[in-house]
Amino acid sequence: MEAAGAAPLVEPPRRSTMLATMSDAALQASLVELIRRTSTQLPDDVVRAVRAARGAEAAGSNAAYALEVIERNIGLACDKSQPLCQDTGSILLYVNTPVGYDQIAFHHAAEAAVRAATARGYLRQNSVDSITGANSGDNVGPGCPDLHFHQWRQPHVEVKLMLKGGGCENVGATYTLPNPSFGGRDLKGVENAILDCVLQAQGQGCGPGILGVGIGGDRVTGMACAKAQLLRLLDDANPDPVLAGLEQRVVAKANQSGIGPMGFGGATTLLGCKAGALNRVPASFFVSITYMCWAFRRQGVDLAADGGIARWLY
Amino acid sequence: MAVIPLTTPLTEDIARSLTVGDTVEITGRLYTGRDAVHHRLHHGERPPVDLRGGIIYHCGPVMVQEGGRWVCKAAGPTTSTREEPYQWEVMRDHGIRGVIGKGGMGPKTLEGCQQYGCVYLHAIGGAAQVCAERITRVDGVDWMDLGSPEAIWHLWVERFPCIVTMDSRGGSLHRQVRAASEQALAALKA
Ligand code: SF4
């Protein structure tokens, strides 16, 4: 843990060729393509998990029927290049940029791309003024799209996108420990709180679901940590053995609950659980849980210097 | 799994003949209606269409205009429980015989199903393309001022797949699974 993590305090800035050459038009086209692909094709790790879940359900059951329809839906959306689910959700962009990269220009390009993708039907008109109820019609407005910028020391820009539907977002929750029903400020309390969330969410978040969990932090950073966990591959292993154990226990127990796909009853309630931890202030202990539906739309790209797509990430 | 074909409008007898666990395929008219529509009906506004014998679909579809016609690009169900305060009233006042959505609904709706002869049909949540494939025509739209996802779309469907999860005899798959899973998870507590 010592030498590897200790980066020099001041690293010489690496000059990014991107700063000079990336055109707005190319960047925007790449982002539209990222949105199209995210909205219409599930990443491979999720497709594999859905297929495995179908094999685990009893033939002829309502659960098997639900997963059959879901698999057919995944194929149809991909073939027709149309949204997997009509709720194309909140648009969450996680962007890593080289030092000196113009984030304001990126923000404008992202808004333009969102408008274009909405006009083409890859995104539903999904941005509603919370006071007046008016729909902006183009998915742009306060907080939409939601951009998370981070600087990094790589020379290129990396963009990850998640589309997170409202049905599953509604069943996320923040718990505080200690709590008389779940326990104290320890892993047992955390585990019981997570399983309560699974119980309460049944039927409503289009299961089988995937949980992102943030342990600690505050009400904002804890949930942000939970959501960022969903950027991990479903079949990765948490490098922290304690969190890895928690993730496995939660999935195993949830799948013994009998809730099943869509809450129809069955063997697969969760396709995964991904947990991270943040430091907290002594007075608080939050367990923030975000629930993602089976329509787990996340994709990412590395951008080339000219703004084109160099590589797909999932 | 035998599939029961249904054609709209539904009669009370047919609605009452369905039981929890039945797989059905609907052919005919569906009207979309979600939060804002139920809110308006609750406040006494008259529906712009005749809902008698009809089926309300909790759905906010993706619609685009192609060559002057509306085309449905995606149309899976949305969470129904938000309409729990209002749904029984729509059964009583407007004579609907079916509600399609996801996640099931609560005791008021179950009571309404029993009293007025209605059934809750669970579509497969998120399966927007399978659902859209079975929507063969979009024949009109009302209350567009609510925004496209909240408007009343007049859909024509052929063999639209659903599972009956709440029936007119007081049966609810949601209640069953909830009770069983509560017990199972209590036994698994850390
Ligand atoms: S929870 Fe997910 S799959 Fe279900 S309707 Fe919402 S976005 Fe679609």
Side-chain angles (χ1 to χ4, degrees):
Chain A
M1 267 283 151
E2 50 291 1
L9 278 181
V10 182
E11 224 177 72
R14 242 189 270 174
R15 194 91 200 118
S16 168
T17 46
M18 211 160 247
L19 304 182
T21 52
M22 192 181 282
S23 85
D24 285 349
L27 172 60
Q28 197 182 310
S30 294
L31 293 176
V32 171
E33 177 56 12
L34 173 61
I35 294 169
R36 185 194 70 79
R37 183 133 159 198
T38 310
S39 177
T40 61
Q41 298 179 27
L42 280 192
D44 289 346
D45 58 322
V46 180
V47 175
R48 281 197 301 273
V50 169
R51 199 167 294 148
R54 181 177 166 189
E57 299 294 347
S61 61
N62 287 338
Y65 176 77
L67 290 168
E68 256 169 62
V69 173
I70 285 171
E71 273 202 72
R72 242 176 73 67
N73 194 74
I74 293 170
L76 269 177
C78 182
D79 294 348
K80 293 163 111 183
S81 188
Q82 289 185 6
L84 278 145
C85 178
Q86 77 288 340
D87 186 354
T88 54
S90 326
I91 302 159
L92 312 174
L93 284 157
Y94 295 82
V95 190
N96 284 319
T97 64
V99 176
Y101 181 78
D102 184 347
Q103 298 182 349
I104 296 170
F106 186 98
H107 195 142
H108 290 305
E111 287 184 345
V114 161
R115 286 194 176 98
T118 307
R120 290 183 210 171
Y122 303 136
L123 297 173
R124 182 175 73 180
Q125 300 170 353
N126 231 16
S127 178
V128 177
D129 184 306
S130 297
I131 306 303
T132 65
N135 192 314
S136 77
D138 61 4
N139 277 309
V140 176
C144 313
D146 182 29
L147 287 111
H148 302 256
F149 285 108
H150 301 277
Q151 276 191 5
W152 67 356
R153 297 248 177 241
Q154 303 288 325
H156 68 282
V157 176
E158 178 199 80
V159 189
K160 290 181 175 175
L161 170 63
M162 270 199 285
L163 299 175
K164 190 164 188 310
C168 59
E169 182 69 1
N170 286 346
V171 295
T174 301
Y175 291 80
T176 61
L177 295 177
N179 173 304
S181 327
F182 310 129
R185 296 177 155 188
D186 53 22
L187 273 184
K188 278 189 182 178
V190 171
E191 185 178 318
N192 289 334
I194 300 171
L195 288 169
D196 183 69
C197 180
V198 172
L199 178 71
Q200 306 304 339
Q202 67 179 278
Q204 287 173 40
C206 292
I210 300 94
L211 299 184
V213 178
I215 303 166
D218 64 23
R219 287 186 186 273
V220 172
T221 59
M223 194 53 91
C225 170
K227 285 211 170 149
Q229 298 305 312
L230 295 174
L231 297 171
R232 290 167 49 194
L233 284 168
L234 273 183
D235 49 9
D236 76 351
N238 197 314
D240 178 331
V242 174
L243 293 177
L246 175 72
E247 292 173 354
Q248 283 161 14
R249 283 195 306 282
V250 165
V251 172
K253 289 185 178 183
N255 289 346
Q256 289 169 57
S257 70
I259 293 169
M262 296 292 135
F264 287 168
T268 311
T269 301
L270 288 185
L271 297 175
C273 172
K274 302 288 161 190
L278 298 174
N279 284 7
R280 58 187 174 84
V281 296
S284 304
F285 196 118
F286 296 109
V287 183
S288 307
I289 303 161
T290 186
Y291 186 108
M292 177 63 95
C293 51
W294 70 260
F296 185 0
R297 289 152 291 175
R298 73 149 141 62
Q299 194 42 271
V301 290
D302 283 343
L303 293 180
D306 62 1
I309 293 172
R311 191 168 78 92
W312 291 93
L313 298 178
Y314 292 102
Chain B
M1 222 188 311
V3 175
I4 302 170
L6 296 178
T7 326
T8 63
L10 297 184
T11 63
E12 177 165 0
D13 284 354
I14 287 181
R16 287 196 184 274
S17 72
L18 298 168
T19 49
V20 162
D22 286 348
T23 307
V24 303
E25 285 183 352
I26 303 161
T27 296
R29 170 74 69 227
L30 304 181
Y31 293 110
T32 65
R34 47 183 295 177
D35 310 67
V37 167
H38 284 80
H39 196 252
R40 273 195 184 172
L41 293 177
H42 174 70
H43 284 99
E45 254 183 82
R46 295 196 53 74
V49 290
D50 182 10
L51 293 172
R52 261 167 224 283
I55 300 179
I56 284 200
Y57 182 20
H58 297 157
C59 169
V62 178
M63 295 286 188
V64 294
Q65 238 164 351
E66 284 176 3
R69 283 177 45 241
W70 286 105
V71 179
C72 180
K73 293 285 182 183
T78 188
T79 305
S80 297
T81 181
R82 294 190 302 266
E83 314 327 329
E84 174 65 6
Y86 319 116
Q87 201 68 70
W88 68 276
E89 271 178 358
V90 183
M91 293 176 188
R92 182 193 63 188
D93 299 342
H94 304 293
I96 55 166
R97 295 280 170 222
V99 174
I100 304 177
K102 73 174 170 93
M105 301 184 74
K108 277 188 183 173
T109 303
L110 191 58
E111 174 75 36
C113 286
Q114 287 170 266
Q115 209 169 335
Y116 307 111
C118 191
V119 70
Y120 180 85
L121 303 151
H122 204 302
I124 305 305
Q129 290 309 325
V130 172
C131 295
E133 194 187 32
R134 305 294 169 93
I135 296 169
T136 51
R137 280 186 345 242
V138 180
D139 292 322
V141 60
D142 285 298
W143 289 1
M144 197 53 166
D145 59 303
L146 297 173
S148 171
E150 295 277 354
I152 299 180
W153 292 96
H154 312 188
L155 309 178
W156 189 266
V157 297
E158 269 162 39
R159 301 185 50 215
F160 189 91
C162 293
I163 291 176
V164 177
T165 58
M166 292 165 68
D167 62 29
S168 62
R169 300 156 203 194
S172 164
L173 180 66
H174 311 285
R175 203 180 46 202
Q176 284 168 33
V177 172
R178 171 86 199 193
S181 59
E182 235 166 59
Q183 259 193 355
L185 286 173
L188 291 166
K189 213 164 168 184

Short mmCIF file of all heavy atoms in Angstrom, two decimals, chain A residues 2-40:
data_model
loop_
_atom_site.label_atom_id
_atom_site.label_comp_id
_atom_site.label_asym_id
_atom_site.label_seq_id
_atom_site.Cartn_x
_atom_site.Cartn_y
_atom_site.Cartn_z
N GLU A 2 2.22 1.16 0.14
CA GLU A 2 2.93 2.42 0.28
C GLU A 2 3.46 2.98 -1.04
O GLU A 2 2.84 3.88 -1.59
CB GLU A 2 4.03 2.36 1.37
CG GLU A 2 5.07 1.21 1.38
CD GLU A 2 4.51 -0.16 1.75
OE1 GLU A 2 3.31 -0.35 1.99
OE2 GLU A 2 5.33 -1.08 1.74
N ALA A 3 4.50 2.32 -1.61
CA ALA A 3 5.17 2.93 -2.76
C ALA A 3 4.25 3.13 -3.97
O ALA A 3 4.26 4.19 -4.58
CB ALA A 3 6.37 2.06 -3.18
N ALA A 4 3.39 2.12 -4.23
CA ALA A 4 2.57 2.18 -5.44
C ALA A 4 1.59 3.35 -5.42
O ALA A 4 1.38 4.00 -6.44
CB ALA A 4 1.79 0.87 -5.60
N GLY A 5 1.03 3.63 -4.24
CA GLY A 5 0.00 4.66 -4.18
C GLY A 5 0.58 6.06 -4.08
O GLY A 5 -0.12 7.04 -4.28
N ALA A 6 1.87 6.19 -3.77
CA ALA A 6 2.41 7.51 -3.49
C ALA A 6 2.86 8.21 -4.78
O ALA A 6 3.99 8.09 -5.20
CB ALA A 6 3.59 7.39 -2.52
N ALA A 7 1.93 8.93 -5.39
CA ALA A 7 2.27 9.68 -6.59
C ALA A 7 3.03 10.93 -6.17
O ALA A 7 2.80 11.44 -5.08
CB ALA A 7 1.00 10.06 -7.33
N PRO A 8 3.94 11.41 -7.02
CA PRO A 8 4.62 12.67 -6.68
C PRO A 8 3.59 13.79 -6.56
O PRO A 8 2.58 13.79 -7.26
CB PRO A 8 5.56 12.90 -7.87
CG PRO A 8 5.04 12.03 -8.98
CD PRO A 8 4.35 10.89 -8.32
N LEU A 9 3.82 14.70 -5.65
CA LEU A 9 2.85 15.76 -5.40
C LEU A 9 2.63 16.62 -6.63
O LEU A 9 1.53 17.01 -6.96
CB LEU A 9 3.31 16.63 -4.24
CG LEU A 9 2.99 16.03 -2.87
CD1 LEU A 9 3.45 16.96 -1.77
CD2 LEU A 9 1.50 15.73 -2.73
N VAL A 10 3.71 16.93 -7.31
CA VAL A 10 3.57 17.73 -8.52
C VAL A 10 4.08 16.93 -9.71
O VAL A 10 5.25 16.59 -9.77
CB VAL A 10 4.36 19.05 -8.41
CG1 VAL A 10 4.16 19.88 -9.66
CG2 VAL A 10 3.94 19.82 -7.16
N GLU A 11 3.16 16.60 -10.60
CA GLU A 11 3.56 15.86 -11.79
C GLU A 11 3.64 16.86 -12.92
O GLU A 11 2.78 17.74 -13.02
CB GLU A 11 2.47 14.83 -12.12
CG GLU A 11 3.01 13.48 -12.50
CD GLU A 11 1.89 12.50 -12.75
OE1 GLU A 11 1.21 12.63 -13.79
OE2 GLU A 11 1.66 11.61 -11.91
N PRO A 12 4.61 16.73 -13.78
CA PRO A 12 4.66 17.68 -14.89
C PRO A 12 3.42 17.52 -15.76
O PRO A 12 3.01 16.39 -16.03
CB PRO A 12 5.92 17.26 -15.66
CG PRO A 12 6.20 15.85 -15.24
CD PRO A 12 5.65 15.72 -13.85
N PRO A 13 2.74 18.60 -16.13
CA PRO A 13 1.54 18.47 -16.95
C PRO A 13 1.88 17.80 -18.27
O PRO A 13 2.89 18.12 -18.89
CB PRO A 13 1.09 19.92 -17.16
CG PRO A 13 2.27 20.77 -16.84
CD PRO A 13 3.14 20.00 -15.90
N ARG A 14 1.03 16.82 -18.65
CA ARG A 14 1.22 16.18 -19.94
C ARG A 14 0.40 16.93 -20.96
O ARG A 14 -0.78 17.15 -20.76
CB ARG A 14 0.76 14.74 -19.86
CG ARG A 14 1.90 13.77 -20.11
CD ARG A 14 1.38 12.36 -20.24
NE ARG A 14 1.35 11.69 -18.95
CZ ARG A 14 0.83 10.48 -18.78
NH1 ARG A 14 0.28 9.85 -19.80
NH2 ARG A 14 0.85 9.91 -17.61
N ARG A 15 1.03 17.31 -22.02
CA ARG A 15 0.34 18.10 -23.03
C ARG A 15 -0.60 17.18 -23.80
O ARG A 15 -0.22 16.13 -24.30
CB ARG A 15 1.40 18.69 -23.95
CG ARG A 15 0.98 19.76 -24.85
CD ARG A 15 0.98 21.16 -24.62
NE ARG A 15 0.03 21.68 -25.59
CZ ARG A 15 -1.07 22.30 -25.26
NH1 ARG A 15 -1.34 22.54 -24.01
NH2 ARG A 15 -1.89 22.74 -26.18
N SER A 16 -1.87 17.53 -23.84
CA SER A 16 -2.83 16.70 -24.54
C SER A 16 -3.01 17.21 -25.95
O SER A 16 -3.33 18.38 -26.16
CB SER A 16 -4.17 16.72 -23.82
OG SER A 16 -5.15 16.15 -24.63
N THR A 17 -2.83 16.32 -26.91
CA THR A 17 -3.01 16.72 -28.30
C THR A 17 -4.48 17.06 -28.53
O THR A 17 -4.84 17.77 -29.45
CB THR A 17 -2.65 15.56 -29.24
OG1 THR A 17 -3.27 14.38 -28.73
CG2 THR A 17 -1.17 15.36 -29.31
N MET A 18 -5.36 16.45 -27.66
CA MET A 18 -6.78 16.64 -27.76
C MET A 18 -7.21 18.10 -27.64
O MET A 18 -8.20 18.53 -28.18
CB MET A 18 -7.36 15.90 -26.59
CG MET A 18 -8.68 15.36 -26.85
SD MET A 18 -8.98 14.08 -25.69
CE MET A 18 -9.00 12.72 -26.77
N LEU A 19 -6.44 18.84 -26.84
CA LEU A 19 -6.86 20.19 -26.52
C LEU A 19 -6.98 21.02 -27.79
O LEU A 19 -7.85 21.86 -27.92
CB LEU A 19 -5.86 20.83 -25.56
CG LEU A 19 -5.63 20.02 -24.28
CD1 LEU A 19 -4.66 20.74 -23.36
CD2 LEU A 19 -6.93 19.74 -23.57
N ALA A 20 -6.11 20.74 -28.71
CA ALA A 20 -6.08 21.58 -29.90
C ALA A 20 -6.99 21.08 -31.01
O ALA A 20 -7.60 21.85 -31.72
CB ALA A 20 -4.64 21.68 -30.42
N THR A 21 -7.12 19.72 -31.12
CA THR A 21 -7.67 19.21 -32.38
C THR A 21 -9.13 18.76 -32.33
O THR A 21 -9.74 18.55 -33.36
CB THR A 21 -6.83 18.02 -32.87
OG1 THR A 21 -6.72 17.10 -31.78
CG2 THR A 21 -5.47 18.45 -33.32
N MET A 22 -9.70 18.57 -31.15
CA MET A 22 -11.03 17.98 -31.10
C MET A 22 -12.08 18.95 -31.63
O MET A 22 -12.18 20.08 -31.17
CB MET A 22 -11.38 17.58 -29.66
CG MET A 22 -12.62 16.71 -29.59
SD MET A 22 -13.05 16.25 -27.90
CE MET A 22 -11.89 14.96 -27.54
N SER A 23 -12.87 18.51 -32.61
CA SER A 23 -13.89 19.42 -33.16
C SER A 23 -15.22 19.16 -32.45
O SER A 23 -15.52 18.04 -32.05
CB SER A 23 -14.06 19.19 -34.66
OG SER A 23 -14.96 18.13 -34.91
N ASP A 24 -16.00 20.22 -32.30
CA ASP A 24 -17.29 20.10 -31.64
C ASP A 24 -18.19 19.12 -32.37
O ASP A 24 -18.90 18.34 -31.74
CB ASP A 24 -17.99 21.47 -31.59
CG ASP A 24 -17.34 22.37 -30.54
OD1 ASP A 24 -16.53 21.85 -29.75
OD2 ASP A 24 -17.66 23.58 -30.53
N ALA A 25 -18.15 19.17 -33.70
CA ALA A 25 -19.04 18.31 -34.48
C ALA A 25 -18.70 16.85 -34.26
O ALA A 25 -19.59 16.01 -34.07
CB ALA A 25 -18.92 18.67 -35.96
N ALA A 26 -17.40 16.51 -34.25
CA ALA A 26 -17.00 15.12 -34.07
C ALA A 26 -17.34 14.65 -32.67
O ALA A 26 -17.82 13.54 -32.47
CB ALA A 26 -15.50 14.99 -34.34
N LEU A 27 -17.09 15.51 -31.69
CA LEU A 27 -17.39 15.15 -30.31
C LEU A 27 -18.89 14.89 -30.16
O LEU A 27 -19.32 13.89 -29.58
CB LEU A 27 -16.96 16.30 -29.38
CG LEU A 27 -17.38 16.18 -27.92
CD1 LEU A 27 -16.81 14.90 -27.29
CD2 LEU A 27 -16.91 17.41 -27.12
N GLN A 28 -19.67 15.77 -30.72
CA GLN A 28 -21.12 15.64 -30.62
C GLN A 28 -21.61 14.35 -31.29
O GLN A 28 -22.43 13.63 -30.74
CB GLN A 28 -21.77 16.86 -31.28
CG GLN A 28 -23.20 17.05 -30.91
CD GLN A 28 -23.78 18.24 -31.65
OE1 GLN A 28 -23.19 19.33 -31.65
NE2 GLN A 28 -24.90 18.04 -32.30
N ALA A 29 -21.05 14.05 -32.45
CA ALA A 29 -21.44 12.82 -33.15
C ALA A 29 -21.08 11.59 -32.31
O ALA A 29 -21.84 10.63 -32.22
CB ALA A 29 -20.75 12.75 -34.51
N SER A 30 -19.91 11.63 -31.67
CA SER A 30 -19.51 10.50 -30.83
C SER A 30 -20.47 10.34 -29.65
O SER A 30 -20.82 9.22 -29.28
CB SER A 30 -18.09 10.71 -30.27
OG SER A 30 -17.17 10.69 -31.32
N LEU A 31 -20.89 11.45 -29.08
CA LEU A 31 -21.78 11.38 -27.92
C LEU A 31 -23.17 10.89 -28.32
O LEU A 31 -23.80 10.13 -27.59
CB LEU A 31 -21.85 12.74 -27.22
CG LEU A 31 -20.53 13.17 -26.55
CD1 LEU A 31 -20.68 14.57 -25.95
CD2 LEU A 31 -20.09 12.18 -25.49
N VAL A 32 -23.64 11.30 -29.51
CA VAL A 32 -24.93 10.79 -29.99
C VAL A 32 -24.83 9.27 -30.16
O VAL A 32 -25.73 8.53 -29.76
CB VAL A 32 -25.35 11.46 -31.31
CG1 VAL A 32 -26.58 10.76 -31.90
CG2 VAL A 32 -25.65 12.94 -31.09
N GLU A 33 -23.73 8.81 -30.72
CA GLU A 33 -23.56 7.37 -30.93
C GLU A 33 -23.46 6.64 -29.58
O GLU A 33 -24.00 5.54 -29.42
CB GLU A 33 -22.32 7.11 -31.80
CG GLU A 33 -21.97 5.66 -32.04
CD GLU A 33 -23.09 4.80 -32.65
OE1 GLU A 33 -24.10 5.35 -33.12
OE2 GLU A 33 -22.95 3.55 -32.63
N LEU A 34 -22.79 7.26 -28.63
CA LEU A 34 -22.72 6.67 -27.28
C LEU A 34 -24.13 6.55 -26.68
O LEU A 34 -24.49 5.52 -26.11
CB LEU A 34 -21.82 7.53 -26.38
CG LEU A 34 -21.77 7.12 -24.90
CD1 LEU A 34 -21.23 5.71 -24.72
CD2 LEU A 34 -20.91 8.12 -24.09
N ILE A 35 -24.93 7.58 -26.85
CA ILE A 35 -26.30 7.56 -26.32
C ILE A 35 -27.11 6.48 -27.05
O ILE A 35 -27.82 5.69 -26.42
CB ILE A 35 -26.98 8.93 -26.46
CG1 ILE A 35 -26.27 9.97 -25.59
CG2 ILE A 35 -28.46 8.85 -26.08
CD1 ILE A 35 -26.69 11.42 -25.86
N ARG A 36 -27.01 6.45 -28.37
CA ARG A 36 -27.77 5.45 -29.13
C ARG A 36 -27.43 4.04 -28.66
O ARG A 36 -28.32 3.25 -28.35
CB ARG A 36 -27.45 5.57 -30.63
CG ARG A 36 -28.30 4.63 -31.51
CD ARG A 36 -27.75 4.49 -32.93
NE ARG A 36 -26.50 3.75 -32.97
CZ ARG A 36 -26.41 2.41 -32.91
NH1 ARG A 36 -27.50 1.68 -32.81
NH2 ARG A 36 -25.23 1.81 -32.92
N ARG A 37 -26.14 3.78 -28.58
CA ARG A 37 -25.74 2.42 -28.22
C ARG A 37 -26.15 2.09 -26.78
O ARG A 37 -26.58 0.98 -26.49
CB ARG A 37 -24.22 2.30 -28.38
CG ARG A 37 -23.75 0.92 -28.11
CD ARG A 37 -22.79 0.44 -29.18
NE ARG A 37 -22.00 -0.64 -28.63
CZ ARG A 37 -20.86 -1.06 -29.14
NH1 ARG A 37 -20.38 -0.49 -30.21
NH2 ARG A 37 -20.21 -2.05 -28.60
N THR A 38 -26.04 3.05 -25.89
CA THR A 38 -26.41 2.80 -24.49
C THR A 38 -27.90 2.52 -24.38
O THR A 38 -28.32 1.63 -23.65
CB THR A 38 -26.03 4.01 -23.62
OG1 THR A 38 -24.68 4.37 -23.87
CG2 THR A 38 -26.20 3.70 -22.14
N SER A 39 -28.70 3.27 -25.10
CA SER A 39 -30.15 3.16 -25.00
C SER A 39 -30.68 1.89 -25.66
O SER A 39 -31.74 1.38 -25.27
CB SER A 39 -30.81 4.38 -25.64
OG SER A 39 -32.21 4.27 -25.60
N THR A 40 -29.95 1.36 -26.64
CA THR A 40 -30.50 0.27 -27.45
C THR A 40 -29.81 -1.08 -27.25
O THR A 40 -30.34 -2.09 -27.68
CB THR A 40 -30.44 0.64 -28.95
OG1 THR A 40 -29.07 0.82 -29.33
CG2 THR A 40 -31.21 1.91 -29.25
#
